[in-house]
Amino acid sequence: MTNEISQPVAESALPEPEIVMPDPEPSMNGNGNGVGKPTGNNLKPSIISEGFEFIGEIRSSGYLTIDGTVRGTLALHSIQIGVTGVLDGNVTCDTMNVKGNFSGALDCRDLTIGSRAVVDGKVSFKSITIQRGGVVKGELRKKA
């Protein structure tokens, strides 16, 4: 058995941690029109799980799946509202897939409304798909 006495390291001897910030606008793959998954910072999909409630603002160039409840302002690349999901707020996104409930204002490029979905509010879209059984209330406006 050896007797070693360790000396405490002075805080000034430790190197400063480097903070790496992601690029604010990740490059997109695809056909040059900005459509595609983010490749710049390899964002993983985010999930608001069933039983979880979020109130506030979410901004990302990534993907969000909502199986719980979200109330607020959202600006994302893609949003999916699961069958148990509820989204109430002002939303801007490229693609939105609603299988649960959405209410509020939505500005998106591609909108898919599932067979068990309820969409209620002011919706602006470039293309829309409504499956049989999907319920749409409110104002729909097709963008040019």
Side-chain angles (χ1 to χ4, degrees):
M1 182 165 141
T2 62
N3 291 334
E4 292 184 19
I5 299 174
S6 62
Q7 297 281 334
V9 177
E11 286 186 32
S12 61
L14 296 175
E16 287 291 320
E18 181 180 339
I19 298 173
V20 178
M21 299 297 288
D23 294 332
E25 295 182 26
S27 62
M28 301 285 206
N29 63 13
N31 56 10
N33 63 1
V35 178
K37 291 190 176 185
T39 58
N41 43 1
N42 295 322
L43 294 175
K44 295 180 182 177
S46 297
I47 299 172
I48 304 293
S49 300
E50 188 173 355
F52 188 86
E53 181 175 3
F54 178 86
I55 299 172
E57 184 173 348
I58 300 174
R59 294 183 185 274
S60 174
S61 58
Y63 298 77
L64 177 64
T65 298
I66 300 170
D67 290 324
T69 301
V70 175
R71 300 183 199 291
T73 302
L74 284 75
L76 291 124
H77 173 69
S78 180
I79 300 171
Q80 176 169 308
I81 303 173
V83 175
T84 60
V86 175
L87 174 54
D88 180 10
N90 297 317
V91 179
T92 303
C93 61
D94 286 334
T95 60
M96 180 132 150
N97 184 353
V98 183
K99 295 179 181 178
N101 295 301
F102 171 78
S103 60
L106 170 64
D107 183 7
C108 70
R109 190 190 46 170
D110 297 316
L111 174 61
T112 302
I113 299 172
S115 61
R116 297 171 62 185
V118 176
V119 174
D120 184 3
K122 186 174 182 178
V123 179
S124 176
F125 59 89
K126 210 162 195 178
S127 73
I128 189 169
T129 302
I130 304 172
Q131 295 177 351
R132 182 182 306 233
V135 176
V136 180
K137 306 175 195 174
E139 179 183 326
L140 296 177
R141 183 174 64 85
K142 181 171 174 54
K143 297 189 277 186

